[in-house]
Amino acid sequence: MAFEHYVTAGGKRLRCGYTTGTCAALAAAGAVRLLLTGRAPDLVAIDTPKGWRVEVSLAQPQLGEGWAQCAVIKDGGDDIDATHGLPIVARVERQNGEAITIQGGAGVGRVTRPGLDQPVGEWAINRVPRQMITQAVDRERKALGSTDGFLVTISVPGGEEAAQRTFNPHLGIEGGISILGTSGIVEPMSVQALVDTMALELRQAALGGNGRLVLVPGNYGLDFLSQHPLVPENIPVVRCSNFIGEALDQARLEGFREVLLVGHIGKLVKLAGGIMNTHSRWADGRRELFCAHAALAGADRQTAQALMDCPTTDGCLEVLDQAGLREAVLTSLLEAIQGHLERRFGPEGTVGAVLFSNQYGLLGLTPKGKELTNRWNNAT
């Protein structure tokens, strides 16, 4: 059954979907109910971390001696990706004690490189989906008066093939897809819809008339600013998603003359190579940029190779720390980012950037980023 939640963007009405993590939790809840009652429910529902309730029918229910399994078909709504339509299967088995143990099966990848949500060697079932699965299983057993422990195995028929059309092989996740999701919901946004929505928000922000603007790619930037008050509260903050170039163009057209970009290094390091659309489908180059600037700072071949082997920018920072090169490389990257931002924004105003990492916190400001934050905070 269709998940009937919609968002409107760029004048279009787009249907939301739900993540592989939500599917796994729903399937696990259904399998527990099937095991404990001998009958699969017609519908199963959970409340996602976003607060939206997802209710679906189950597929492929099977019941055996001490085990049961059910599937939920992944529905990405109008945001179709490689996992859309795949069955996410949960098999539950009784185990001694009261613990709920989660593992992967066929079609779910394993982590082979450090720096991801799960440690090396673990199944690529991320932290929030694990919490959702555990809560769903616990809720079902309590509702039925059970204190049994359960082993929950998540598998995805067709997942290994689908993973080749995702970023997983590049990240170091092998053998299948990841079970993902932090909100539990997939909110679709077409490229044009995102750009149109951003343009509208910039137009509204410009009505304040002070010519100052903060751009953030997404929620990470908003969260960072809430914890690190680098700029005064009266300066508008607009989300620009991956469209850094379009955001700078539109900001200039709307009359902003001082623009500060605040973002995670995993996205903004790409600006050091002049990449103004930071989505991985368009371009990556993160490791290559770290490697090039490390070479300029005197890195040896071993350090360069370690950087090229890192699946994440946090991993790159760890390598640089081990080589004693973090400060030099970040300084070089920030100067390159500054140059590309100025070329895109033009000479009519001042633009700068702030880089941070969820693991390492504030990493640095470009030269003009320092100038802007100092001026804004010292203004009377």
Side-chain angles (χ1 to χ4, degrees), residues 7 306 327:
V7 295
E327 182 177 354

Side-chain angles (χ1 to χ4, degrees), residues 267-278 283-286 288-290 292-293 332-341 343:
K267 284 192 178 295
L268 297 198
V269 71
K270 299 177 186 181
L271 302 181
I275 299 169
M276 291 289 163
N277 184 325
T278 57
D284 191 1
R286 293 169 299 169
E288 291 83 354
L289 286 162
F290 267 105
H293 285 265
S332 182
L333 286 168
L334 287 163
E335 289 175 351
I337 289 169
Q338 183 66 57
H340 285 291
L341 288 175
R343 276 189 286 275

Side-chain angles (χ1 to χ4, degrees), residues 6 43 53 216 224-225 234 243-244 265 274 286 292 302 358:
Y6 294 86
L43 296 171
R53 191 166 183 80
V216 295
F224 178 80
L225 284 174
N234 65 334
F243 308 105
I244 309 299
I265 190 171
R286 293 169 299 169
Q302 182 178 358
N358 291 344

Side-chain angles (χ1 to χ4, degrees), residues 248 257 259-260 338 341-342 345 349-353 366 368-369 372:
L248 293 174
R257 293 297 175 259
V259 178
L260 184 68
Q338 183 66 57
L341 288 175
E342 289 178 352
F345 194 61
T350 304
V351 61
T366 66
K368 294 296 184 180
L372 287 175

Side-chain angles (χ1 to χ4, degrees), residues 44-83:
V44 64
I46 64 168
D47 292 321
T48 62
K50 186 178 178 65
W52 292 3
R53 191 166 183 80
V54 178
E55 185 178 57
V56 301
S57 56
L58 295 169
Q60 307 167 12
Q62 297 182 42
L63 178 62
E65 186 64 35
W67 65 271
Q69 72 178 38
C70 293
V72 168
I73 306 302
K74 170 66 161 58
D75 182 357
D78 287 331
D79 189 30
I80 306 300
D81 65 9
T83 66

Side-chain angles (χ1 to χ4, degrees), residues 106-368:
V108 174
R110 276 192 186 272
V111 176
T112 65
R113 295 180 186 173
L116 300 176
D117 182 273
Q118 296 294 303
V120 172
E122 186 55 83
W123 297 98
I125 304 173
N126 280 7
R127 177 182 56 84
V128 173
R130 286 175 183 269
Q131 292 173 347
M132 294 172 67
I133 294 166
T134 299
Q135 290 168 1
V137 169
D138 188 50
R139 184 180 61 251
E140 291 295 329
R141 70 178 177 182
K142 285 179 177 177
L144 295 168
S146 171
T147 59
D148 289 341
F150 293 101
L151 171 64
V152 182
T153 303
I154 307 300
S155 60
V156 184
E160 187 168 1
E161 295 79 7
Q164 299 307 309
R165 303 191 297 276
T166 73
F167 213 47
N168 275 13
H170 182 74
L171 289 174
I173 298 173
E174 298 180 358
I177 68 167
S178 303
I179 305 300
L180 299 171
T182 55
S183 71
I185 299 298
V186 177
E187 295 188 55
M189 294 288 273
S190 70
V191 169
Q192 191 57 51
L194 277 169
V195 173
D196 290 347
T197 300
M198 176 183 66
L200 175 59
E201 292 181 2
L202 286 169
R203 194 168 304 122
Q204 293 171 332
L207 297 176
N210 65 7
R212 297 173 174 178
L213 173 69
V214 174
L215 291 171
V216 295
N219 290 332
Y220 282 166
L222 293 174
D223 292 343
F224 178 80
L225 284 174
S226 70
Q227 299 166 14
H228 302 80
L230 294 175
V231 299
E233 293 183 356
N234 65 334
I235 296 178
V237 180
V238 173
R239 285 188 291 186
C240 60
S241 186
N242 293 292
F243 308 105
I244 309 299
E246 287 88 346
L248 293 174
D249 295 344
Q250 190 67 33
R252 184 178 63 250
L253 290 174
E254 295 296 341
F256 289 103
R257 293 297 175 259
E258 296 184 351
V259 178
L260 184 68
L261 178 63
V262 180
H264 191 282
I265 190 171
K267 284 192 178 295
L268 297 198
V269 71
K270 299 177 186 181
L271 302 181
I275 299 169
M276 291 289 163
N277 184 325
T278 57
H279 197 291
S280 59
R281 292 177 183 172
W282 290 85
D284 191 1
R286 293 169 299 169
R287 297 178 299 176
E288 291 83 354
L289 286 162
F290 267 105
C291 191
H293 285 265
L296 291 173
D300 58 21
R301 182 179 180 85
Q302 182 178 358
T303 299
Q305 187 61 60
L307 290 168
M308 291 299 295
D309 289 339
C310 284
T312 67
T313 49
D314 280 339
C316 289
L317 292 171
E318 183 178 348
V319 170
L320 294 176
D321 281 342
Q322 293 170 354
L325 292 173
R326 193 214 284 196
E327 182 177 354
V329 172
L330 283 177
T331 298
S332 182
L333 286 168
L334 287 163
E335 289 175 351
I337 289 169
Q338 183 66 57
H340 285 291
L341 288 175
E342 289 178 352
R343 276 189 286 275
R344 185 63 179 251
F345 194 61
E348 297 90 350
T350 304
V351 61
V354 177
L355 271 65
F356 67 87
S357 156
N358 291 344
Q359 180 175 339
Y360 292 97
L362 178 64
L363 296 174
L365 291 79
T366 66
K368 294 296 184 180

